[in-house]
Amino acid sequence: MQPRIISREEHGISRRQISPNALNTLYRLHEGGFVAYLVGGCVRDLLLGRTPKDFDIVTDAAPGQIKRLFRNARIIGRRFRLVHLHFQDEILEVSTFRASAPAGEEEGEEEDGDGKPPLHLKDATGMVLRDNVFGTPKEDALRRDFTINALAWNIADFSVIDYTNGMMDLNQRIIRPIGDPEVRFTEDPVRMIRAVRFAASHDFEIETEAWEALLRLAPTIVRAAPARLYEEALKLFLLGSARAVFDGLEKTGLLAALFPPLGRWLAADGDLSAALRENMENIDRLRLKGLPPSPPLLLAMLFGPPLEAEAVARHREGIPYLQALDEICLAFLEELAKTVTVPGRIGGQMRRIFSLQPSLHRIPPRRPAALAARPEFSDAMTYLIFTTKTTEENRKSREWWKAFINNPDAPLPEAANATAASPVRSKRRKKRKRRTRTGSAENGPFEAAQ
Ligand code: ATP
Ligand code: MG
């Protein structure tokens, strides 16, 4: 099969849109006698007039040959060896054309240990590259996940090379796996999440056959490594389309498969879905305002309402609230770890967002300066504002804290003054100064919630 070549006059990619580092790298490879393309998401996004997240390059130069051309090159990867070029403000990934790996050996997956000997290849230096399966440009395109992600931009003549009808799907805004969707989602279940992510972030439709395969295979997402699924989950929700991603995951059954406790809560409480959707809209709003939400805040917004409700229920049975909350969060994180491993530090920060809530609700608060100096204060305040926007009680807490933060030198209300001893007051000023200097989210929660 010959690729469709779309000449520079027929597509909208201009060299001005490409990072100068990437462009220079492509030229250097080309002048060195190698084939060199931009590939993947950056070509897709350039064609759509969006700013690419990163620029990936493929070439027929082997890693050793790339290393000899660039002083800032580092060969990385245990399984598939590729090269990172380190620039002051950017790291570029340069990989050698690659053929598809056998099932279970896609990026990020653990070796399946079936005892087959890995494919050995030697690079230009004669070094054996374990698990490296170099391929042709065509094989490199066909191993990719979706047609819109398989387009390449050729430095030799500035054309776009299209082996999979990706351009047509791009124009029609369709996410279509390359090959049989069932096979491709089985080879690497993370592709299902990627389909939902791209559909949400780019406002594309998942092609019908792929959609049906997704519905059937959603429960198999648990085959992917839990640590990889945590990283994917962050990409799903923190890049500005959390609300649309939530809808897509819910519709496909991926949400319940990824987060089994959440699946149970949603099944038991008909109002929860709408509340969480609103929370995800607020996560998107933060990003839009230039205040990227932290992973612990995201987790709190995604799982907090039912976790807190459960803690309140246990408290009614006589267990101290904070103790109930801690136990419930720990049990939840432990169950979640079977599918999605939240790192311990992040789980701890999520718990502290919840456990700070009672202190923030108390008006006037005890030792407000000490509370404001806590590392989770900003996230906890944002959580309070977003999850409890409507009630009168919360409005009071919000106003109180807003005044406190914006006006550190104003006299505090009586009760608070009595508890905020002078050393703490001076600490608060110090904290405020530091935060202002670093332009942190000190006012973030309040601004974001407007
Ligand atoms: P983003 O804008 O989120 O970075 P992207 O398409 O560039 O989107 P990356 O994760 O950076 O996504 O991957 C780069 C390219 O590698 C993809 O465009 C795709 O061609 C290929 N790719 C990534 N993950 C997979 C996968 N699981 N299976 C097959 N190909 C993949
Ligand atoms: Mg990318």
Side-chain angles (χ1 to χ4, degrees):
M1 178 184 55
Q2 288 305 310
R4 205 183 136 213
I5 306 290
I6 300 138
S7 70
R8 68 190 290 193
E9 293 78 29
E10 295 171 86
H11 65 71
I13 297 181
S14 127
R15 271 166 288 169
R16 277 193 306 277
Q17 299 165 277
I18 299 168
S19 111
N21 292 331
L23 211 51
N24 289 337
T25 303
L26 288 161
Y27 278 128
R28 172 101 55 105
L29 284 163
H30 182 57
E31 282 153 17
F34 297 107
V35 176
Y37 304 156
L38 276 183
V39 273
C42 64
V43 180
R44 174 198 70 215
D45 287 345
L46 287 171
L47 288 167
L48 290 169
R50 295 167 69 111
T51 308
K53 267 208 334 253
D54 35 42
F55 290 90
D56 295 333
I57 292 171
V58 274
T59 174
D60 61 351
Q65 292 173 311
I66 302 168
K67 192 155 194 293
R68 277 200 296 280
L69 272 181
F70 298 93
R71 265 192 319 187
N72 56 344
R74 264 181 233 160
I75 298 184
I76 61 146
R78 191 171 55 86
R79 295 163 52 67
F80 187 80
R81 294 160 62 82
L82 40 88
V83 177
H84 274 179
L85 298 184
H86 289 253
F87 296 92
Q88 210 161 34
D89 49 352
E90 157 175 49
I91 296 177
L92 289 179
E93 199 169 286
V94 184
S95 44
T96 310
F97 290 122
R98 177 179 170 187
S100 77
E105 288 194 24
E106 277 301 325
E107 37 246 278
E109 283 293 290
E110 295 302 317
E111 248 160 308
D112 55 10
D114 60 3
K116 271 187 254 146
L119 276 157
H120 293 291
L121 273 176
K122 289 178 181 172
D123 76 357
T125 65
M127 184 170 57
V128 172
L129 304 168
R130 248 182 344 109
D131 279 358
N132 252 350
V133 191
F134 290 146
T136 61
K138 178 179 166 183
E139 284 169 324
D140 190 84
L142 297 186
R143 76 165 177 91
R144 291 173 184 277
D145 49 3
F146 305 110
T147 60
I148 56 165
N149 287 348
L151 296 161
W153 180 79
N154 188 354
I155 191 70
D157 59 3
F158 315 126
S159 65
V160 168
I161 305 172
D162 181 6
Y163 280 98
T164 64
N165 266 333
M167 198 63 142
M168 204 167 77
D169 287 337
L170 197 78
N171 290 331
Q172 297 183 359
R173 308 186 79 79
I174 293 174
I175 312 270
R176 185 193 309 274
I178 298 170
D180 181 340
E182 183 123 3
V183 171
R184 300 310 308 281
F185 290 155
T186 305
E187 274 174 7
D188 180 5
V190 167
R191 289 178 186 145
M192 296 191 280
I193 296 184
R194 291 175 58 87
V196 170
R197 172 155 73 88
F198 294 128
S201 62
H202 287 65
D203 197 18
F204 274 38
E205 292 283 330
I206 298 173
E207 176 268 328
T208 317
E209 205 188 320
W211 178 259
E212 282 162 9
L214 233 168
L215 295 182
R216 275 195 306 278
L217 295 174
T220 66
I221 191 66
V222 299
R223 288 172 48 233
R228 185 179 176 204
L229 286 179
Y230 173 71
E231 293 303 324
E232 291 295 329
L234 296 187
K235 281 195 230 160
L236 277 169
F237 289 106
L238 292 181
L239 300 179
S241 326
R243 155 74 200 264
V245 160
F246 185 89
D247 288 347
L249 292 180
E250 200 178 17
K251 277 195 208 128
T252 52
L254 281 167
L255 194 68
L258 277 171
F259 313 114
L262 185 55
R264 289 198 303 273
W265 293 327
L266 286 166
D269 175 357
D271 298 329
L272 181 60
S273 179
L276 295 184
R277 259 149 104 240
E278 197 185 324
N279 280 3
M280 293 304 101
E281 260 170 40
N282 283 326
I283 285 285
D284 290 338
R285 210 161 279 153
L286 282 174
R287 206 186 141 86
L288 258 173
K289 297 217 173 200
L291 301 163
S294 70
L297 178 64
L298 164 72
L299 298 178
M301 298 280 275
L302 193 53
F303 304 122
L307 286 171
E308 286 185 318
E310 226 173 292
V312 168
R314 292 278 290 283
H315 178 53
R316 291 214 182 96
E317 292 162 10
I319 301 170
Y321 178 73
L322 290 180
Q323 183 192 326
L325 190 66
D326 245 21
E327 286 171 8
I328 284 160
C329 286
L330 287 173
F332 164 73
L333 290 167
E334 196 182 312
E335 184 184 350
L336 197 61
K338 290 180 200 143
T339 49
V340 177
T341 318
V342 175
R345 187 176 55 87
I346 305 291
Q349 286 169 345
M350 176 195 80
R351 273 159 50 208
R352 283 190 290 279
I353 291 175
F354 301 143
S355 60
L356 277 174
Q357 296 304 309
S359 320
L360 296 180
H361 278 280
R362 206 192 134 96
I363 295 300
R366 288 203 195 117
R367 296 167 53 85
L371 267 179
R374 296 276 290 266
E376 287 85 13
F377 174 78
S378 176
D379 278 349
M381 185 55 71
T382 308
Y383 181 79
L384 174 125
I385 294 167
F386 279 151
T387 51
T388 57
K389 236 174 170 171
T390 45
T391 67
E392 182 57 31
E393 183 204 347
N394 292 311
R395 194 159 36 245
K396 274 194 221 147
S397 319
R398 224 170 110 185
E399 291 310 314
W400 194 97
W401 280 103
K402 189 172 179 174
F404 176 81
I405 284 171
N406 288 341
N407 222 343
D409 297 321
L412 288 172
E414 268 292 289
N417 229 344
T419 49
S422 55
V424 183
R425 289 269 294 173
S426 63
K427 219 184 191 174
R428 187 186 85 204
R429 282 204 199 97
K430 228 159 80 193
K431 186 82 193 168
R432 184 184 137 76
K433 229 172 162 181
R434 189 177 65 77
R435 286 188 174 179
T436 310
R437 238 198 345 258
T438 54
S440 100
E442 176 175 84
N443 291 325
F446 298 104
E447 279 168 14
Q450 303 311 311

